[in-house]
Amino acid sequence: MHAQQPTRLTGTVQEVGGGRPVEAATVRLTSSSGLTAEALTDPDGVFSFEAIVPGEYVLLVRRLGYAELSIPLTVEEEQAVELSVRLTPAAIRVAPLEVGIRGRPARLAEAGYYDRMARGWGTFTDPASMTVLRKGSIRLPQLVQILQDRAPIKAAICGRRNTVFLDGRPLDPEFAREMSAWELGAAEVYADGAGLPVFAMTPLTLRCGATLLWSTVTTVGAGNPMPQITVQLCEPVGGPGNVTLEGIVADQVTGVRLPAARVRGSYTIGEGAQRQIDVRTDSLGRYRLCDIPREAEVSLVASYNRITGVPTVVDARPEADAGLKIQVTAPGMIVGDVIHASTGQGLRSVRIMVAGTDHTATSGRSGVFSVGPLPPGSYTIQTLCGGFSLATAQVQVEEGQEARVQLVLQPLGGDRYRCRN
């Protein structure tokens, strides 16, 4: 029997017309057998599903303020799928999204909160219970501590490593300290990875669980918006000799933009005095420093959660590249060996290539090779060696882990092999 090889499905959700990315759209992938995977789009409108088995699917894309879109989809074996989805803005209609059940906020239902509650894997605090619980709490971290204390977190194994997400994105602890407890509208706490939605699955959360928070903006009706913390980029005054520095803060490994990251800068003014600047990135990972003296050497460093990037010095010019990187995601490696199908011995000098990347390697004397570092994801690797047939393998690289693989090469006949055991 031939085992079906899983593949990767990625895509971008944009608005019809201007092509503006649609952030926090719910993307659900449902197979004919009823199996469902779920993801939320990032600030660039990007979503992805890993290890999708070939077959017939329906892709459902929903976002409040847009018309719902359903797409029939055929996923073929070993063929990565890339989609471009366009949503049409539409008047907000809450009633159809409530599925006839009173008291269920549309955006919370969209995010799959009530579906997960029905399955019963986590500890849930619904909007009504949250209204009572948050009384007397001042800051968000104080309330999160209460929620986690009520759930069976594996403290002996994981300590306080229960990752926190807000409205589908990782929550920066420093940013959380600025939030009021009254901005929290609902929550779900998981002791381990059982029942977690796709957007919250990481090697750490699968082992130690996660706390999913939903803000009051998500848990109230569209006609009763509640305040939320937003990051306002500065507006330059435009004085003579001044320039504006703009940049993106992104994960060094995956390239994903980091909202609410902190950017600290400094430069010399006057007779050796230092001016300090401290700003945050907006929901698209952008930051801006206004009215910097032209040609000043600005020292910049970005941080996200408790991870700090490498300091960068930028000359203040209008065209200056002020992009900053932080290694939030730990890269992985592919390691393995190449062996002769007939003798079982290692083959040296075999070239190993990772499809779709510039990563290559050559096997050593005993046939051992390693490729990386690589961002987490699914990869196809292929061998190249004269006198042998090509060998391919699908490899799943996890964050901070080594993916091991063995490649078996079949000789094509003759003695003139460029790779020998």
Side-chain angles (χ1 to χ4, degrees):
M1 296 179 66
H2 174 67
Q4 290 185 315
Q5 296 297 317
T7 187
R8 187 183 187 206
L9 171 64
T10 61
T12 304
V13 180
Q14 297 176 316
E15 187 177 289
V16 170
R20 184 173 66 88
V22 179
E23 181 183 1
T26 300
V27 184
R28 291 183 183 175
L29 188 66
T30 304
S31 70
S32 56
S33 63
L35 294 177
T36 301
E38 180 183 278
L40 289 177
T41 56
D42 67 11
D44 295 323
V46 176
F47 66 90
S48 66
F49 296 100
E50 304 291 344
I52 300 300
V53 176
E56 299 296 325
Y57 292 85
V58 173
L59 190 78
L60 179 67
V61 185
R62 305 169 77 182
R63 180 68 165 91
L64 200 64
Y66 294 88
E68 180 180 300
L69 183 63
S70 180
I71 305 172
L73 184 65
T74 300
V75 177
E76 298 182 358
E77 186 174 356
E78 296 185 358
Q79 180 178 346
V81 180
E82 294 186 9
L83 300 175
S84 179
V85 180
R86 302 280 177 159
L87 293 185
T88 303
I92 298 173
R93 296 184 298 171
V94 175
L97 296 177
E98 292 183 352
V99 201
I101 302 177
R102 295 175 60 85
R104 291 194 171 184
R107 292 180 64 185
L108 200 58
E110 264 192 312
Y113 177 89
Y114 293 103
D115 294 338
R116 292 189 292 273
M117 180 186 287
R119 291 197 293 266
W121 289 102
T123 300
F124 289 77
T125 305
D126 63 15
S129 301
M130 186 64 72
T131 301
V132 177
L133 183 62
R134 67 193 180 195
K135 290 181 179 178
S137 299
I138 301 173
R139 290 294 176 191
L140 182 64
Q142 182 181 0
L143 183 53
V144 171
Q145 186 68 63
I146 294 173
L147 293 169
Q148 292 180 341
D149 288 343
R150 297 171 60 189
I153 295 176
K154 299 176 181 178
I157 301 175
C158 301
R160 290 295 171 190
R161 302 177 68 191
N162 189 264
T163 308
V164 180
F165 294 81
L166 177 64
D167 291 340
R169 294 194 299 271
L171 178 62
D172 181 351
E174 293 187 15
F175 192 54
R177 282 197 286 271
E178 302 174 10
M179 297 182 65
S180 166
W182 285 89
E183 294 184 77
L184 189 60
E188 43 192 303
V189 183
Y190 297 84
D192 52 35
L196 277 175
V198 173
F199 71 80
M201 288 185 180
T202 69
L204 178 59
T205 60
L206 290 174
R207 184 172 68 254
C208 297
T211 299
L212 311 184
L213 308 178
W214 303 99
S215 70
T216 48
V217 176
T218 303
T219 58
V220 299
N224 300 288
M226 295 289 287
Q228 64 175 335
I229 290 181
T230 57
V231 176
Q232 298 291 339
L233 301 182
C234 66
E235 292 295 334
V237 175
N242 290 341
V243 298
T244 299
L245 287 178
E246 295 184 295
I248 300 293
V249 178
D251 180 13
Q252 183 175 349
V253 175
T254 64
V256 172
R257 298 185 181 192
L258 302 175
R262 172 162 281 170
V263 178
R264 293 182 174 91
S266 64
Y267 60 89
T268 303
I269 56 175
E271 298 180 357
Q274 289 282 314
R275 182 187 174 192
Q276 305 291 329
I277 306 173
D278 192 339
V279 299
R280 286 191 180 274
T281 58
D282 65 8
S283 61
L284 296 178
R286 303 172 301 184
Y287 75 93
R288 183 182 298 156
L289 306 180
C290 297
D291 301 311
I292 307 295
R294 184 183 291 271
E295 304 299 334
E297 289 190 349
V298 184
S299 177
L300 298 171
V301 61
S303 59
Y304 187 76
N305 291 337
R306 294 177 180 160
I307 303 172
T308 301
V310 177
T312 301
V313 176
V314 177
D315 292 332
R317 301 189 305 272
E319 69 279 5
D321 180 9
L324 301 174
K325 302 288 187 180
I326 311 174
Q327 187 172 313
V328 176
T329 304
M333 298 283 293
I334 299 176
V335 298
D337 57 344
V338 186
I339 64 173
H340 193 295
S342 300
T343 67
Q345 296 181 346
L347 287 169
R348 65 182 179 182
S349 303
V350 179
R351 189 180 182 192
I352 295 93
M353 299 166 290
V354 182
T357 76
D358 295 328
H359 289 275
T360 63
T362 302
S363 61
R365 183 176 297 274
S366 59
V368 175
F369 69 90
S370 65
V371 186
L374 293 164
S378 181
Y379 295 92
T380 300
I381 60 174
Q382 187 176 60
T383 63
L384 181 61
C385 179
F388 289 86
S389 62
L390 297 179
T392 61
Q394 193 77 16
V395 183
Q396 183 68 33
V397 176
E398 303 293 345
E399 183 177 359
Q401 304 294 317
E402 289 185 349
R404 296 190 172 273
V405 64
Q406 185 176 81
L407 300 170
V408 180
L409 270 61
Q410 296 283 349
L412 296 176
D415 297 325
R416 302 188 64 179
Y417 297 159
R418 288 167 51 193
C419 307
R420 295 186 177 273
N421 55 346

